[in-house]
């Protein structure tokens, strides 16, 4: 039976593996390149992502679009950076208050790798350590395995399930990461 395989990648894939499209000697591949968003599409996306603001200043939308250069990923990153640097402040009721004075300190990473490094750099050491353990299992992991990895290199407790149960601590850390969209 015919099979359809859809793969997404960044342009770096073809740069690193130029013959990827011609694998197995077939020509049944279709490469579809997406161009950056047009300015009005980028502004619409930024407006949507900033909908939690009491009032969305035009300067904020323009800053996000200028930083992103039409990249949807970078528009999302711009909004995350606005939250992390205090340009957008949660009012406690699910809405954002805008502090335009903080806008000038917001700097968007130039590449996807820079964006990833900035997100990782914003983690507390115990959060980064827990996520590093989780990545050894892939994109889906389970708490029991994290607890087992947390015990690695430590002497076994007198009684399993005793005073050194990492599960509640890890649950709290993971909940905080989920809340911050990690």
């Amino acid at each position: 039976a015919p099979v359809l395989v859809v793969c997404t990648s960044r342009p770096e894939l073809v740069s690193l593996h130029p013959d990827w499209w011609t694998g197995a000697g077939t020509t049944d591949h279709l490469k579809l390149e997406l161009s950056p968003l047009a300015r009005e599409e980028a502004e619409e996306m930024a407006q949507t992502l900033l909908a939690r603001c009491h009032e969305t200043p035009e300067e904020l939308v323009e800053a996000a679009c200028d930083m992103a250069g039409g990249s949807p990923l970078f528009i999302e990153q711009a909004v995350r950076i606005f939250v992390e640097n205090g340009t957008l402040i949660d009012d406690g009721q699910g809405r954002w208050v805008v502090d335009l004075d903080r806008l000038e300190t917001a700097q968007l990473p130039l590449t996807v790798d820079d964006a990833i490094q900035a997100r990782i750099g914003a983690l507390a050491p115990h959060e980064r350590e827990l996520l590093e353990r989780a990545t050894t299992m892939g994109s889906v992991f389970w708490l029991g395995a994290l607890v087992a990895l947390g015990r690695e290199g430590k002497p076994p407790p007198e009684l399993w399930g005793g005073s050194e149960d990492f599960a509640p601590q890890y649950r709290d850390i993971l909940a905080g990461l989920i809340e911050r969209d990690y």
Side-chain angles (χ1 to χ4, degrees):
V3 175
L4 171 67
V5 177
V6 178
C7 300
T8 61
S9 75
R10 307 240 349 121
E12 292 84 9
L13 173 70
V14 179
S15 298
L16 294 171
H17 306 283
D19 59 342
W20 190 79
W21 292 106
T22 58
T26 66
T27 57
D28 295 341
H29 299 95
L30 173 64
K31 179 179 172 184
L32 179 63
E33 293 187 34
L34 301 177
S35 60
L37 296 175
R39 182 62 182 214
E40 65 185 41
E41 293 168 331
E43 288 175 358
E44 183 179 334
M45 181 177 179
Q47 286 281 1
T48 301
L49 291 172
L50 295 167
R52 289 181 49 196
C53 293
H54 289 284
E55 289 183 33
T56 307
E58 193 59 36
E59 301 99 292
L60 195 59
V61 173
E62 286 179 18
C65 293
D66 290 344
M67 284 187 213
S71 167
L73 171 68
F74 286 160
I75 293 171
E76 286 182 357
Q77 287 298 319
V79 172
R80 284 185 178 142
I81 288 169
F82 293 156
V83 170
E84 290 170 3
N85 84 343
T87 301
L88 297 173
I89 304 161
D90 192 321
D91 69 358
Q93 299 177 5
R95 305 280 294 161
W96 284 327
V97 177
V98 180
D99 180 357
L100 287 177
D101 294 334
R102 304 295 301 264
L103 181 60
E104 292 185 24
T105 63
Q107 294 182 351
L108 187 69
L110 299 176
T111 67
V112 174
D113 289 338
D114 291 344
I116 292 168
Q117 289 301 324
R119 297 272 295 164
I120 291 171
L123 292 170
H126 66 279
E127 293 172 328
R128 185 174 28 254
E129 184 179 326
L130 184 64
L131 286 181
E132 285 173 356
R133 286 188 191 127
T135 61
T136 64
M137 291 173 256
S139 60
V140 176
F141 54 90
W142 54 100
L143 188 60
L146 286 176
V147 170
L149 287 173
R151 291 182 177 143
E152 180 183 20
K154 296 183 176 154
E158 298 266 334
L159 177 65
W160 289 107
S163 63
E164 195 178 71
D165 186 9
F166 296 120
Q169 175 187 358
Y170 289 174
R171 229 181 251 113
D172 291 344
I173 294 170
L174 290 171
L177 291 168
I178 290 167
E179 186 175 307
R180 292 181 3 236
D181 200 23
Y182 279 88

